[in-house]
Amino acid sequence: MSDSDADKTMSISDADSKEMYEESSKKRRLSDSTESSSVSPECKRLCSVTKNTPGSPDRDEDGAPKHSTESEDSLSIPGKKITKIASLDLPPKLNKWERKHIENLNISIVYAPNTKPLDLIQCGEIKNYEETENIIELKKYIQKSPIMANLRSLDHVYTSFSELSSESLWEMAPNEDEKLSMIPAWVPEQHMIWFYRFHCQAQEFGNQLYLVLKRRENGCNILGSHVQSLFETFAGMFGLKSGLSSVPCLEIDTKRINRLDIMGAADIIFPCKMFSPFQEVKQGTQHPSVVAVCEVKRDCPKLTQRDSPLSSRNCTKLKINSKDSAERISSTTDSKASHHETLQHLDDKIIGQHGGELLFHYPDTIKKGKIFGLIVQETQVTFTMLEMSAEQYNDIVEGNILQHKSGDRPTLKVSKPYDYLKTRDREFIIEAFIKLAMLQRTII
């Protein structure tokens, strides 16, 4: 066959294909036109989301909707977009939750290492100068006390809890003068009762710390209950009490999240208005209104490979962007370039479980639109706050997650860890605990 004959054959073939394609397109347009003329636009939009016919792929034999197996279904609404997350995305037990489950609920995780714990707790509040003065005054008297002076004596030997020995605590033992005079003469009268409680709890904390260290030195394991008891005693020094909310008194609770029954329980609940006859407790709940939710882990934070020291080049880059990144380091939806700016001391499982616990107790919080949390890892404390509106919470419960801009999303803010056996870190913990203790006794 000559080249000219081949070209003719190809032209004829191309023409036939083009004619068949145009005929097929014409039939398809005719079919679409017929369908659209018989179905109203509103009905057509609804039908595209779900079919109401029994036995269809999206319905069971009775016509009831089946659970979606896809990751999400979208439905357009004027002004907003609703995303329905599949029920299978959330484990039925909180201790199986991970960071991705919090992010799937459209909650932004924000790392705020430069925000002081007290500033995190007071965020958004109207400045109360009288309360601030009380916190400063109580902190000043605490720092002057002989007991805290003894605790500061650990600084020259303390590097980490795992290396602390019971022999280092001998300097913390009270002398005879401290045993006779539990309340120093320089304490104002209005603070005497408060200081008396502080003194008693501080003595108990020193005893527990000694017993925990002796247990380890004798070859026994330090259990999570020991770490929890030690922390509760330390918090009690500043008036923050857990009451009957800690293990083993706290029962497994069930809450509705994303139209699923999720089971779980926090390690410690710090309730509002301890021992008050005026505190209202909701029918069927275990505790009064919640001031803070606490998760306790036996082990100290584990550094991963991504937490290796930054190179000088990266440090320079972070320094330039510190204004934007220091206060806000968001979740996986943000740029991958800031992998060094992620949470270094909390793994995905702790974030997921604690975030779920805050979500659990959000309806019982004493503060409008936010609930406080604590994560204890050995002797290191991280302060957290979950902030969202009542509408956003209801959307999460019902499984209608609103896709907003990052500024409109629910936010889980996380501080850096503070070791309560280090004087430098303890300065920030004391004022935050005094504030939380005041909230326990405040009617809001």
Side-chain angles (χ1 to χ4, degrees):
M1 182 184 291
S2 65
D3 293 340
S4 59
D5 293 338
D7 291 339
K8 289 178 182 179
T9 303
M10 290 177 66
S11 299
I12 294 172
S13 177
D14 292 341
D16 291 341
S17 299
K18 184 175 181 182
E19 183 178 353
M20 292 174 64
Y21 175 79
E22 290 178 351
E23 183 177 356
S24 175
S25 299
K26 184 176 180 181
K27 289 181 179 180
R28 186 163 56 251
R29 286 196 300 270
L30 181 60
S31 175
D32 292 343
S33 175
T34 305
E35 182 183 356
S36 61
S37 63
S38 61
V39 182
S40 66
E42 180 66 15
C43 181
K44 185 178 179 181
R45 183 181 68 82
L46 293 176
C47 290
S48 65
V49 176
T50 179
K51 300 293 183 181
N52 294 326
T53 307
S56 66
D58 296 330
R59 296 273 166 170
D60 57 22
E61 296 178 356
D62 299 326
K66 293 180 179 179
H67 289 298
S68 173
T69 56
E70 298 178 357
S71 60
E72 57 184 35
D73 298 319
S74 296
L75 173 64
S76 296
I77 289 181
K80 54 179 79 170
K81 181 182 178 183
I82 293 180
T83 299
K84 296 182 179 180
I85 297 179
S87 299
L88 296 178
D89 286 345
L90 294 179
K93 295 183 179 180
L94 275 184
N95 59 6
K96 300 296 183 182
W97 279 34
E98 296 184 4
R99 176 176 183 145
K100 64 181 179 181
H101 300 117
I102 298 298
E103 293 173 335
N104 283 347
L105 296 176
N106 200 37
I107 298 175
S108 175
I109 300 171
V110 177
Y111 182 35
N114 295 335
T115 302
K116 297 178 182 178
L118 182 60
D119 293 338
L120 184 68
I121 296 171
Q122 292 179 328
C123 178
E125 290 185 2
I126 299 175
K127 191 73 173 180
N128 187 331
Y129 292 98
E130 183 180 356
E131 180 184 82
T132 302
E133 286 298 319
N134 283 334
I135 293 174
I136 294 174
E137 189 175 17
L138 287 172
K139 181 181 176 181
K140 178 181 69 177
Y141 293 133
I142 288 171
Q143 290 172 325
K144 287 175 60 178
S145 68
I147 294 175
M148 296 306 286
N150 293 339
L151 193 56
R152 283 194 294 271
S153 67
L154 294 178
D155 286 352
H156 69 282
V157 296
Y158 185 78
T159 54
S160 65
F161 182 72
S162 60
E163 298 179 5
L164 186 64
S165 67
S166 60
E167 293 181 0
S168 305
L169 303 183
W170 284 113
E171 294 184 40
M172 291 180 56
N175 56 41
E176 294 302 322
D177 292 337
E178 292 171 348
K179 291 179 180 178
L180 295 175
S181 178
M182 298 182 70
I183 304 179
W186 41 260
V187 175
E189 184 177 355
Q190 68 267 25
H191 294 317
M192 281 189 176
I193 295 178
W194 194 95
F195 198 91
Y196 179 82
R197 182 189 60 232
F198 163 77
H199 183 96
C200 293
Q201 286 290 122
Q203 295 268 14
E204 179 63 22
F205 172 72
N207 291 334
Q208 285 206 27
L209 181 58
Y210 177 78
L211 292 174
V212 168
L213 295 177
K214 287 297 291 184
R215 177 183 177 86
R216 183 175 63 192
E217 291 165 2
N218 291 335
C220 300
N221 292 329
I222 297 179
L223 306 179
S225 58
H226 300 137
V227 174
Q228 179 169 321
S229 178
L230 187 65
F231 169 75
E232 288 190 88
T233 307
F234 176 80
M237 290 167 57
F238 314 102
L240 187 60
K241 304 290 288 184
S242 61
L244 292 177
S245 64
S246 58
V247 175
C249 301
L250 193 62
E251 299 176 1
I252 299 295
D253 202 358
T254 302
K255 288 292 178 68
R256 195 78 170 169
I257 299 177
N258 193 37
R259 294 175 295 175
L260 279 175
D261 288 332
I262 308 296
M263 300 175 62
D267 291 324
I268 306 173
I269 297 294
F270 293 105
C272 180
K273 295 297 290 181
M274 296 290 296
F275 312 114
S276 171
F278 304 105
Q279 174 65 52
E280 293 185 5
V281 180
K282 293 181 182 179
Q283 187 69 27
T285 59
Q286 304 175 37
H287 41 71
S289 299
V290 173
V291 171
V293 177
C294 182
E295 177 70 16
V296 180
K297 299 298 181 183
R298 178 186 63 181
D299 299 322
C300 66
K302 298 290 192 301
L303 295 181
T304 60
Q305 189 174 1
R306 68 180 179 185
D307 303 318
S308 57
L310 303 182
S311 65
S312 58
R313 182 178 178 183
N314 285 332
C315 285
T316 304
K317 189 182 295 184
L318 288 179
K319 191 174 182 180
I320 295 173
N321 299 325
S322 61
K323 219 170 197 180
D324 300 326
S325 63
E327 294 296 334
R328 186 169 189 82
I329 299 174
S330 190
S331 48
T332 55
T333 56
D334 293 339
S335 172
K336 295 180 181 179
S338 60
H339 65 281
H340 286 292
E341 301 172 347
T342 55
L343 299 173
Q344 297 183 359
H345 62 289
L346 301 176
D347 60 31
D348 290 349
K349 188 171 183 180
I350 293 178
I351 296 174
Q353 185 174 346
H354 180 67
E357 290 165 357
L358 291 175
L359 196 59
F360 247 48
H361 297 285
Y362 177 83
D364 301 323
T365 179
I366 65 168
K367 303 294 283 186
K368 184 178 180 181
K370 57 185 177 182
I371 183 170
F372 305 118
L374 303 166
I375 300 175
V376 179
Q377 296 171 281
E378 201 173 70
T379 58
Q380 301 189 42
V381 186
T382 300
F383 294 81
T384 65
M385 180 180 69
L386 177 61
E387 195 170 17
M388 66 171 64
S389 66
E391 292 76 13
Q392 289 171 332
Y393 174 76
N394 290 333
D395 287 333
I396 290 176
V397 171
E398 298 300 328
N400 299 323
I401 312 302
L402 299 182
Q403 293 285 0
H404 293 297
K405 296 178 181 178
S406 59
D408 298 327
R409 296 167 62 189
T411 303
L412 174 59
K413 293 183 179 179
V414 181
S415 77
K416 69 177 183 180
Y418 295 85
D419 194 329
Y420 61 76
L421 290 182
K422 290 182 179 179
T423 300
R424 181 183 56 199
D425 290 355
R426 196 164 51 244
E427 304 298 316
F428 300 103
I429 296 176
I430 289 174
E431 57 188 21
F433 279 4
I434 293 175
K435 168 64 177 179
L436 292 175
M438 288 179 173
L439 289 176
Q440 278 194 309
R441 293 157 179 83
T442 302
I443 300 176
I444 297 180

